[in-house]
């Protein structure tokens, strides 16, 4: 019988937290007891899980006493304050925010790529950016077989990546457009930035705020996280991150260069047998991944694989995944499952 654990979820009512609850149940994660933690404002309200109602408790340092695994998805400031307190009390923290991702002492993990890094944790493990997860999951089997020297990615990211409020704003804006009303924008491209643009009927080439080098923080996350996860500090990586009017499911157009001259068929063969990957590439039947059809699905889907016309070592790929699942909640649960299997919990 699997070891049963006490699990805490911080931020269970958000878009990712809701999916975490679903994944724990769907995957039969061995739970002895579960706690739902939130701000003092939400404490005392009830939340449903597995057919039972639970009272949300205030997220304080003491609330993590006796917790084995703490799943955090309540914002970077909450993680910064409470994740070390949870770890101090013996919990293993799996954090979905960006706060700890580039910390040198915190593993940044996609189990299909760098599961071994879990052995070096000091109580906190970071879950990577949603777009990074699906890309490195697809690139790892390619890298293992053929090497990898360059990655250029353009993303087409769903609004759910900005949370429940962004989903609601897309729906509201669509209704405003249809009714001929003024369209209000208060969230995208970045709530903290000076200007906001409608996402309904629009494409916004900005996710998060800009850095001094002209890339956004989202783009720099993909660049730096890819290098860390794959242990390739000198890998050439560039990213352009774009928000599109899709509710869930991130898409990516990725150009890569490998070390060997190989065929498209060899690329097919590697991806067809890769863990967590579904090869969906039959152009004769117009069969390729699309976010509408991967929503609610666990794997990362890869298609539209082409050899570059001017570089025999260059390939173009189209990668699609549900950003709230493999891009967030599912990857977090898989980290916990991997730790259980490897006797790290």
């Amino acid at each position: 019988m699997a070891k049963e654990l006490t699990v805490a979820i911080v931020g269970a009512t958000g878009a990712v937290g809701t999916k975490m609850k679903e994944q724990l149940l769907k995957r039969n994660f061995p739970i002895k007891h579960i706690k739902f933690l939130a701000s003092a404002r939400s404490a005392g309200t009830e939340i449903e899980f597995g057919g039972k109602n639970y009272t949300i408790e205030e997220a304080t340092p003491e609330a993590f006493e006796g917790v084995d695994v703490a799943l955090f998805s309540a914002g970077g400031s909450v993680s910064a304050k409470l994740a070390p307190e949870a770890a101090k009390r013996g919990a293993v923290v799996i954090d979905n925010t960006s706060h700890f991702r580039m910390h040198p002492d915190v593993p940044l993990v996609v189990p299909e790529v760098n599961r071994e890094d879990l052995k070096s944790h000091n109580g906190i493990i970071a879950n990577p950016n949603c777009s990074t997860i699906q890309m490195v999951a697809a690139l790892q089997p390619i890298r293992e077989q053929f090497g990898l020297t360059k990655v250029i990615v353009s993303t087409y990211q769903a609004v759910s990546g900005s949370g429940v409020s962004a989903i609601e704003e897309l729906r509201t804006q669509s209704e405003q457009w249809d009714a001929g009303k003024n369209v209000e924008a208060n969230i995208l491209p970045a709530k903290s930035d000076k200007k906001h643009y409608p996402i309904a009927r629009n494409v916004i080439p900005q996710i998060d705020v800009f850095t001094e080098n002209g890339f956004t923080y989202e783009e720099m996350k993909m660049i730096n996280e890819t290098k860390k996860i794959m242990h390739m500090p000198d890998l050439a990586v560039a990213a352009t991150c774009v928000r599109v009017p899709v509710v869930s499911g991130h898409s990516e157009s990725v150009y890569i260069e490998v070390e060997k001259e190989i065929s498209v068929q060899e690329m097919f063969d590697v991806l067809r047998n890769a863990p967590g990957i579904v090869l969906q590439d039959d152009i004769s039947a117009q069969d390729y991944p699309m976010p509408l059809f991967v929503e609610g699905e666990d794997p990362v889907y890869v298609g539209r694989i082409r050899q570059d016309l001017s570089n025999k070592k260059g390939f173009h790929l189209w990668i699609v995944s549900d950003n709230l699942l493999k891009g967030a909640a599912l990857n977090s649960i898989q980290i916990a499952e991997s730790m259980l299997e490897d006797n790290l919990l």
Side-chain angles (χ1 to χ4, degrees):
M1 182 178 177
K3 178 182 179 182
E4 292 190 329
L5 304 174
T6 296
V7 177
I9 301 180
V10 185
T13 59
V16 174
T18 299
K19 294 295 182 181
M20 284 178 172
K21 292 194 303 170
E22 293 175 4
Q23 287 297 310
L24 288 170
L25 291 170
K26 177 182 176 181
R27 299 176 72 86
N28 295 313
F29 192 81
I31 296 173
K32 177 173 63 178
H33 179 61
I34 190 162
K35 303 176 77 170
F36 298 99
L37 306 177
S39 65
R41 185 178 67 250
S42 298
T45 59
E46 289 197 337
I47 189 169
E48 191 271 337
F49 178 78
K52 298 179 182 179
N53 288 330
Y54 293 79
T55 301
I56 296 176
E57 303 174 42
E58 183 179 356
T60 63
E62 294 73 26
F64 294 97
E65 295 287 352
V67 170
D68 298 304
V69 178
L71 302 169
F72 274 70
S73 185
S77 61
V78 174
S79 293
K81 179 182 177 182
L82 289 176
E85 294 292 339
K88 192 187 301 180
R89 288 162 173 79
V92 172
V93 172
I94 302 172
D95 182 43
N96 262 268
T97 76
S98 62
H99 184 78
F100 293 102
R101 287 178 186 158
M102 296 310 298
H103 193 289
D105 294 330
V106 175
L108 183 67
V109 177
V110 178
E112 297 92 335
V113 180
N114 62 330
R115 179 170 173 161
E116 287 294 307
D117 289 355
L118 292 171
K119 295 178 180 178
S120 63
H121 80 86
N122 293 307
I124 300 175
I125 298 159
N127 200 58
N129 177 276
C130 45
S131 297
T132 305
I133 290 173
Q134 67 186 68
M135 184 174 76
V136 298
L139 295 188
Q140 177 64 10
I142 296 170
R143 174 224 180 164
E144 288 177 343
Q145 290 295 318
F146 312 120
L148 187 65
T149 61
K150 178 180 283 188
V151 179
I152 300 174
V153 55
S154 296
T155 71
Y156 304 73
Q157 293 179 227
V159 295
S160 56
S162 281
V164 174
S165 58
I167 298 173
E168 288 305 313
E169 184 161 274
L170 170 59
R171 290 174 175 154
T172 299
Q173 289 173 354
S174 298
E175 292 170 358
Q176 290 169 337
W177 276 113
D178 292 342
K181 298 179 181 178
N182 290 331
V183 178
E184 300 175 7
N186 301 300
I187 297 172
L188 300 174
K191 195 166 186 178
S192 62
D193 216 342
K194 299 177 290 295
K195 295 174 69 175
H196 300 100
Y197 295 108
I199 187 59
R201 303 191 187 185
N202 197 20
V203 168
I204 304 175
Q206 177 191 349
I207 299 178
D208 211 329
V209 298
F210 288 99
T211 69
E212 291 182 358
N213 65 10
F215 287 78
T216 65
Y217 277 100
E218 182 81 359
E219 290 158 354
M220 292 309 301
K221 287 175 194 174
M222 288 199 73
I223 292 167
N224 294 327
E225 291 177 22
T226 297
K227 295 180 180 185
K228 180 176 179 178
I229 295 165
M230 303 188 88
H231 297 285
M232 299 181 72
D234 297 324
L235 179 66
V237 186
T240 301
C241 293
V242 181
R243 190 73 72 189
V244 296
V246 169
V247 174
S248 286
H250 287 353
S251 304
E252 298 172 346
S253 174
V254 184
Y255 170 77
I256 62 170
E257 291 180 3
V258 296
E259 294 176 356
K260 306 174 183 178
E261 289 192 12
I262 58 169
S263 67
V264 170
Q265 187 59 51
E266 288 176 286
M267 190 77 76
F268 280 0
D269 292 342
V270 166
L271 289 169
R272 188 175 286 115
N273 298 307
I277 303 296
V278 171
L279 178 66
Q280 185 181 0
D281 194 323
D282 182 358
I283 56 175
S284 66
Q286 293 177 260
D287 188 22
Y288 36 70
M290 289 177 277
L292 180 64
F293 303 108
V294 309
E295 186 174 354
E297 299 294 325
D298 291 348
V300 173
Y301 291 76
V302 185
R304 293 297 324 276
I305 299 172
R306 293 148 286 153
Q307 191 167 45
D308 190 72
L309 297 177
S310 59
N311 184 350
K312 293 291 186 182
K313 297 180 181 179
F315 288 83
H316 301 267
L317 301 87
W318 178 249
I319 303 171
V320 184
S321 187
D322 188 322
N323 56 294
L324 297 180
L325 291 181
K326 184 55 182 171
L330 173 60
N331 198 70
S332 296
I333 306 306
Q334 287 176 320
I335 288 172
E337 290 172 341
S338 298
M339 296 188 76
L340 264 177
E341 291 168 7
D342 296 344
N343 296 313
L344 298 173
L345 280 173

